[in-house]
């Protein structure tokens, strides 16, 4: 299947596009290499899978800015943390304690890009603060996309604990249902307020559970009446090699997979009008829990890279029209 590459403009920001007969993907290199649009072409219709905010013009963020002050749409890379925190890096006898910004560094940094071949792009970003280079290689396939990541540390950073998650905000409608491996049937609430799951750290069955305020709740679907609720939860069970997860509706099915050796934890974010009056959700495989790299180091759930060799992982998106 033939793929074409071209440049464009998305809401006032320079963009690059890969497109084939089934899919069209548009990135913003200067805006953290954000995947701004993921369009499925199926049965003579076009379906935008990623949530789009009503903003007509986007503003490129600066390093260290608050994520919530900018466009809440598309697919941003969160690395090396989700929550802001401090990170300690030991280099021989010296110790550096550095602040990690909200949603990490790389979503608010410009990335370099190059075209490798007809269907493959490479994005690169480097951090002087933490001493790493992150390369993301994108390969567009007939019905999906493979994202391959390579993290390399400098000599000044012998090791780096990190959280990585694909912060991809998807659209949902009245027919959307999450697809989760059947064995993953217990979740931990990590949303401190605004949802139905009660206290932070409270454990619930999945998908069927009870609201903290009484009443039945199916976590695999989305609220039909409530316009100001949100949930964020992680599954107690970790991902296995063969696991796929995702969602479906009447028009399409989206299945995701990840390298569980690096990112074995699966989180779900459901924003049903509580945050910015937006309606979207995210499936977030993560390399540590819960949301803070500092906390993940303390509870020994964090992925750790070293400068002895690069760290590799994959994230795959498969999309099928119905």
């Amino acid at each position: 299947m033939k793929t074409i590459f071209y440049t464009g403009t998305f809401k006032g920001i320079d963009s690059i596009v890969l497109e084939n007969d089934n899919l069209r993907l548009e990135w913003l290199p200067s805006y953290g290499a954000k995947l701004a649009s993921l369009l499925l072409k199926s049965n003579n219709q076009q379906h935008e899978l990623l949530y789009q905010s009503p903003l007509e013009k986007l503003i490129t963020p600066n390093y260290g800015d608050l994520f919530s002050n900018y466009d809440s749409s598309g697919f941003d890379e969160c690395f090396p943390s989700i929550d802001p925190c401090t990170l300690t890096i030991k280099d021989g006898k010296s110790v550096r304690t550095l602040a990690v910004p909200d949603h990490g560094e790389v979503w608010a940094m410009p990335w370099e890009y190059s075209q490798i071949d007809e269907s493959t792009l490479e994005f690169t970003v480097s951090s002087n603060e933490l001493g790493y280079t992150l390369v993301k290689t994108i390969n567009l396939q007939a019905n999906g996309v493979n994202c391959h990541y390579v993290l390399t540390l400098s000599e000044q950073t012998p090791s780096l604990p990190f959280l990585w998650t694909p912060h991809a905000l998807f659209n949902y409608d009245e027919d959307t249902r999450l697809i989760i491996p059947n064995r993953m049937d217990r979740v931990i609430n990590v949303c401190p307020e605004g949802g139905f799951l009660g206290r932070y750290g409270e454990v619930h069955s999945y998908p069927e559970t009870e609201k903290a305020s009484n009443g039945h709740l199916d976590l695999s679907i989305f609220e039909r009446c409530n316009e100001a609720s949100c949930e964020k939860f992680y599954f107690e069970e970790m991902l296995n090699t063969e696991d796929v997860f995702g969602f479906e509706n009447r028009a399409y099915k989206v299945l995701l997979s990840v390298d569980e050796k690096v990112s074995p934890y699966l989180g779900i974010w459901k924003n049903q009008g509580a945050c910015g009056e937006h309606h979207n959700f995210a499936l977030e495989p993560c390399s540590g829990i819960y949301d803070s790299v500092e906390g993940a180091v303390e509870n020994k759930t964090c992925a750790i890279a070293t400068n002895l060799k690069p760290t590799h992982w994959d994230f795959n998106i498969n999309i099928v029209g119905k």
Side-chain angles (χ1 to χ4, degrees):
M1 180 178 291
K2 183 175 177 58
T3 300
I4 58 174
F5 165 81
Y6 55 95
T7 60
T9 303
F10 183 90
K11 293 188 175 183
I13 295 181
D14 290 343
S15 66
I16 56 175
V17 178
L18 282 181
E19 183 173 2
N20 60 26
D21 291 343
N22 298 326
L23 299 170
R24 180 185 183 277
L25 289 81
E26 187 166 10
W27 290 269
L28 310 180
S30 66
Y31 194 145
K34 175 198 283 282
L35 178 58
S37 173
L38 173 50
L39 201 67
L40 169 66
K41 298 177 280 186
S42 175
N43 298 322
N44 297 317
Q45 293 183 312
Q46 294 188 345
H47 304 279
E48 176 58 70
L49 275 64
L50 295 174
Y51 176 75
Q52 301 296 317
S53 75
L55 293 176
E56 295 183 359
K57 294 287 186 179
L58 300 185
I59 299 174
T60 304
N62 297 308
Y63 178 89
D65 283 348
L66 286 175
F67 187 83
S68 60
N69 288 344
Y70 289 86
D71 176 58
S72 295
S73 71
F75 170 2
D76 296 282
E77 301 286 349
C78 286
F79 181 94
S81 188
I82 302 173
D83 289 345
C85 60
T86 58
L87 186 59
T88 300
I89 297 177
K90 298 178 181 179
D91 179 11
K93 295 182 180 180
S94 66
V95 176
R96 292 181 288 155
T97 301
L98 302 171
V100 180
D102 181 33
H103 281 67
E105 292 189 313
V106 300
W107 74 272
M109 296 170 66
W111 294 49
E112 300 293 329
Y113 78 90
S114 59
Q115 184 179 13
I116 305 302
D117 57 38
E118 180 186 71
S119 58
T120 307
L121 299 175
E122 184 176 273
F123 296 89
T124 303
V125 66
S126 296
S127 169
N128 292 326
E129 290 290 322
L130 295 178
Y132 65 79
T133 295
L134 182 62
V135 177
K136 174 174 65 174
T137 303
I138 303 293
N139 179 253
L140 180 59
Q141 299 160 356
N143 293 298
V145 60
N146 169 256
C147 308
H148 180 70
Y149 297 82
V150 181
L151 172 63
T152 305
L153 305 186
S154 68
E155 292 183 0
Q156 290 72 36
T157 304
S159 65
L160 180 70
F162 69 91
L163 296 192
W164 165 84
T165 194
H167 194 279
L169 294 173
F170 292 104
N171 287 311
Y172 70 84
D173 59 26
E174 66 275 8
D175 298 307
T176 302
R177 179 176 290 272
L178 299 177
I179 300 171
I180 303 295
N182 290 334
R183 64 178 179 78
M184 300 176 72
D185 59 3
R186 287 167 62 85
V187 299
I188 301 170
N189 177 36
V190 297
C191 188
E193 58 185 22
F196 296 120
L197 298 182
R199 301 184 305 275
Y200 184 98
E202 190 168 330
V203 177
H204 288 261
S205 60
Y206 180 91
E208 307 285 338
T209 190
E210 299 298 319
K211 297 179 181 179
S213 57
N214 296 321
H216 180 72
L217 182 64
D218 185 343
L219 289 169
S220 69
I221 61 176
F222 295 84
E223 289 298 305
R224 305 296 181 254
C225 301
N226 192 292
E227 289 296 310
S229 69
C230 66
E231 282 85 45
K232 175 69 182 285
F233 52 86
Y234 280 86
F235 288 88
E236 280 194 332
E237 299 86 354
M238 292 189 290
L239 294 166
N240 288 336
T241 303
E242 69 277 6
D243 284 335
V244 295
F245 52 93
F247 62 97
E248 64 179 337
N249 57 26
R250 285 181 292 179
Y252 51 82
K253 178 187 288 189
V254 178
L255 294 176
L256 313 176
S257 63
V258 71
D259 187 344
E260 88 291 346
K261 292 179 181 178
V262 173
S263 298
Y265 307 99
L266 179 57
I268 305 289
W269 161 249
K270 297 167 67 180
N271 180 18
Q272 299 155 135
C275 295
E277 299 184 353
H278 302 308
H279 293 76
N280 49 49
F281 73 100
L283 300 108
E284 300 184 347
C286 196
S287 59
I289 51 177
Y290 301 101
D291 289 5
S292 163
V293 66
E294 183 179 19
V297 169
E298 291 176 358
N299 63 33
K300 297 183 168 71
T301 63
C302 195
I304 299 177
T306 75
N307 64 6
L308 299 178
K309 62 179 181 179
T311 301
H312 298 254
W313 68 93
D314 288 282
F315 176 55
N316 302 296
I317 308 173
N318 185 260
I319 305 161
V320 180
K322 295 183 177 179

